[in-house]
Amino acid sequence: MWLLRFYAINRYSGIVAFVLVATTLVIYGWTVYSQQLWSQSYRKLQTLQRDERQLTTTIEVLKNKMAQEAQTPGAGLVSPSPAGAIFLPPVPEDSNSSPSTTTTQSNFQLQEPNSEPLGY
């Protein structure tokens, strides 16, 4: 009787050991794979941060160059003043070109124009 129990324990312990080894290998593989993904993502982040710093530096250099060129007397730029402002006349409300009604695609209902602007 004790020999049969010992044989059963031996058999089941082999199965349990195989399952544990397989589980350990799967967890190890997942850990290595996730570390590789993290390393790749971190390298990409570092590259993007470096590119951002380079773009910021380039933009600031261009701004400085434009400011220096604008200060030269031969640039032809003048300071803004109210006398140089351009005023446009208001658009008449009775204009035929303004879209006073719109149609929807589903039921073709007419919509009334708003008296107040939508933005601002």
Side-chain angles (χ1 to χ4, degrees), residues 6 28 40 46 51 57 73 75 83 93 103 106:
F6 186 69
Y28 176 74
Q40 289 173 355
Q46 286 179 328
D51 292 346
T57 303
E93 292 184 26
T103 59
S106 62

Side-chain angles (χ1 to χ4, degrees), residues 28-100:
Y28 176 74
W30 178 76
T31 303
V32 169
Y33 179 70
S34 66
Q35 287 178 352
Q36 287 177 347
L37 285 179
W38 187 88
S39 296
Q40 289 173 355
S41 297
Y42 187 71
R43 274 188 250 118
K44 186 175 180 180
L45 173 66
Q46 286 179 328
T47 303
L48 289 173
Q49 287 175 339
R50 186 188 70 231
D51 292 346
E52 179 185 21
R53 286 190 301 270
Q54 288 176 348
L55 285 173
T56 303
T57 303
T58 304
I59 288 170
E60 292 304 320
V61 166
L62 288 174
K63 282 182 186 178
N64 187 26
K65 184 178 177 183
M66 287 173 49
Q68 288 176 353
E69 288 178 1
Q71 290 177 353
T72 60
L77 299 176
V78 295
S79 298
S81 66
I86 299 173
F87 295 100
L88 299 175
V91 177
E93 292 184 26
D94 298 330
S95 172
N96 290 336
S97 64
S98 68
S100 61

